[in-house]
Amino acid sequence: MSSAAKDIAPSAPKTARGARTRARILKAAEDTFGTLGYHRAGISDITRAAGVAQGTLYCYFSGKEEILRELVRDMGHKVRAHLAASVIGARDRLQAEELGLRAFLEYVSANPSLYRVLQEAQFVDEAIFREYYEAFGRGYMRMLADATRKGEVRPGNDEIRVWALMGLSNFLGLRFALWDRDRSFDEVVATISDLFRNGLALDGKEKA
Amino acid sequence: MSSAAKDIAPSAPKTARGARTRARILKAAEDTFGTLGYHRAGISDITRAAGVAQGTLYCYFSGKEEILRELVRDMGHKVRAHLAASVIGARDRLQAEELGLRAFLEYVSANPSLYRVLQEAQFVDEAIFREYYEAFGRGYMRMLADATRKGEVRPGNDEIRVWALMGLSNFLGLRFALWDRDRSFDEVVATISDLFRNGLALDGKEKA
DNA sequence: TCACAATATGACAACTGAATCAGGTTTCTT
DNA sequence: AAGAAACCTGATTCAGTTGTCATATTGTGA
């Protein structure tokens, strides 16, 4: 595991051309991982899709794993930006949840590759996977705490809630955005909104 | 892809010894996949752990993938049995959810390997992965429908709810049972129970 | 225009790990 | 105890992969 040159990341591109090539490789890797999966995808599949030679890939990445890490980091930024933009102007936390869930479903639907890449990263480099969800969770917890202070949300253990909410979104995205779009996003959002507003139980709140 | 002998599953063991060996291989594969992951685990790792030769594995399985499939099927039965047993005697659906979530967390904690195997199966054979959750979901939907009829649960789109609930459990298991046991299961169950009984919102039900 | 630094090439050496199969061992039956 | 059937072995094969490197190309500043 202490090989000589393997872990040393190649230097960053120094010209615009290099930056462009690096980006092309990254995009090609995203597509290739997305369709073939991380393990089935070979370096040659990626470079062929990018239209570069095998060796070129190693000018910018130390190997397949580093590409995956880069992709996951990238995805973290993009998803968070997309969701953050989507909830601007929400009246309250509950409406923000609706907007956020819809935006997430739309994002997954439009970016199936990145979604798969993230899930597969769990088994390639668990640290980067955890980092993604922990970063996501931190932001989410801050929003819940704010909402609680404003009296929009009942007090509770927000860390647990946040993991529950992330899991919920994750599976809804998998089932209703990635696998089969046999339910409208409206329907999904409405159902979950009802859960957040009223719970599952039929009888009223225990404490008003 | 139409190779001659590859897809033909080897015959089932015909003696007790064969059955024992097959079981040993399966158990070794579970452990090996659990610690190394499906892809990092080699056939030789599995056979070494089982204390058999490489070739022996092919007496009972057509290859690595079939072992994974077998393991996922196995896990489906075991988890469902464990959860079904855990909710016997529940007063109502809400209490059943509490008991079920706790049993799930306990199961994950006690069987980290099988949990990881299931998640990785998503990228090795998506069909078997879907099958697992769809089977799970069907049973779950039936229970929700019953509970709705009994007036324990508000009417709603149970298919969507079930996927949300499965995702929620999945992430809570990952974070609080598999990764870090830094919160008691009591705390997790109580938080989710509150969500199911009262929702997230502070103000009361829209319709009493 | 020339020099030279960055970028790109692609054949290939080195390696990996799944699957095979000819032959040995154990267990059962009569 | 002999014979047969089931079971097990593990060195070897082989298809496929990664990462290397000597060489070629491109673009830029003096």
Side-chain angles (χ1 to χ4, degrees), chain B residues 113-193:
Chain B
S113 296
L114 280 184
Y115 190 78
R116 287 214 178 91
V117 164
L118 172 63
Q119 292 303 308
E120 249 187 311
Q122 183 176 3
F123 305 104
V124 178
D125 183 347
E126 193 176 271
I128 198 99
F129 178 78
R130 278 191 74 153
E131 195 182 299
Y132 172 91
Y133 279 107
E134 273 162 8
F136 205 106
R138 274 193 297 276
Y140 214 149
M141 280 174 67
R142 226 176 295 122
M143 302 212 285
L144 274 192
D146 281 357
T148 305
R149 207 172 319 109
K150 286 188 204 151
E152 294 168 7
V153 162
R154 323 178 59 241
N157 187 320
D158 285 339
E159 191 185 11
I160 294 169
R161 279 173 167 175
V162 156
W163 281 89
L165 296 176
M166 291 193 297
L168 175 155
S169 301
N170 190 59
F171 263 49
L172 292 175
L174 184 67
R175 171 62 183 77
F176 298 106
L178 208 58
W179 283 351
D180 292 308
R181 301 229 10 197
D182 56 352
R183 304 281 180 177
S184 71
F185 291 167
D186 283 338
E187 223 176 330
V188 176
V189 171
T191 299
I192 300 308
S193 175

Side-chain angles (χ1 to χ4, degrees), chain A residues 90-97 139-156 158 161-162 165, chain B residues 200-203:
Chain A
R91 191 174 297 111
D92 55 22
R93 187 62 229 160
L94 274 294
Q95 201 194 5
E97 289 296 333
Y140 213 149
M141 280 173 68
R142 225 176 296 122
M143 302 212 286
L144 273 191
D146 281 359
T148 305
R149 207 171 321 107
K150 285 187 204 154
E152 293 169 7
V153 163
R154 325 180 58 240
D158 285 339
R161 279 174 167 176
V162 156
L165 296 177
Chain B
L200 224 45
L202 191 129
D203 51 351

Side-chain angles (χ1 to χ4, degrees), chain A residues 46-67:
Chain A
I46 298 171
T47 52
R48 197 182 321 119
V52 300
Q54 301 249 86
T56 306
L57 188 142
Y58 295 94
C59 296
Y60 302 105
F61 304 97
S62 66
K64 223 166 131 181
E65 263 198 50
E66 200 196 309
I67 296 185

